[in-house]
Amino acid sequence: MSINLKNKQEIIKKFGASAKDSGSAEVQIAMLTQKITELTEHMKANKKDFSTKRGLLMMVGKRKRLLSYLKEKNLEGYRKLIKSLNIRG
């Protein structure tokens, strides 16, 4: 259930400041969003997988905290990111 190297590099290239920028909030949020969508599909098929459900909820919480940090530090970047990732309605 992890992101493969090719997808990871594409996410870093699209959302990062440089090709090696894997630690910025934007890149972390984009990677978490990718993992969340993959786990959501897994949970649709495996409703009783409670350990995965717990991990999924922890990822959603971490993404929420990172989004609130980004919103506080860079409002325009926050708006651009949520629009490009299609999150928050």
Side-chain angles (χ1 to χ4, degrees):
M1 295 295 159
S2 64
I3 301 174
N4 63 21
L5 186 61
K6 184 178 178 188
N7 289 343
K8 195 176 207 180
Q9 289 173 343
E10 289 173 6
I11 289 172
I12 292 172
K13 192 180 293 184
K14 184 174 180 183
F15 295 102
S18 67
K20 298 200 181 242
D21 178 27
S22 62
S24 67
E26 293 90 351
V27 174
Q28 289 183 44
I29 292 167
M31 285 192 200
L32 280 172
T33 302
Q34 179 70 30
K35 287 181 184 179
I36 288 169
T37 55
E38 289 175 5
L39 285 178
T40 303
E41 292 301 315
H42 171 79
M43 288 303 297
K44 286 179 183 175
N46 303 288
K47 296 187 185 304
K48 294 186 178 183
D49 189 355
F50 299 113
S51 60
T52 301
K53 184 176 181 179
R54 180 177 185 270
L56 177 63
L57 291 174
M58 288 170 47
M59 283 183 206
V60 169
K62 183 168 185 156
R63 183 179 72 176
K64 183 179 178 182
R65 288 191 306 272
L66 282 168
L67 280 168
S68 67
Y69 168 79
L70 184 63
K71 186 177 181 180
E72 181 181 309
K73 296 293 180 184
N74 183 5
L75 185 61
E76 189 59 39
Y78 166 80
R79 289 180 179 154
K80 190 171 101 173
L81 184 68
I82 61 171
K83 190 171 186 174
S84 66
L85 292 175
N86 293 325
I87 51 178
R88 309 250 177 184

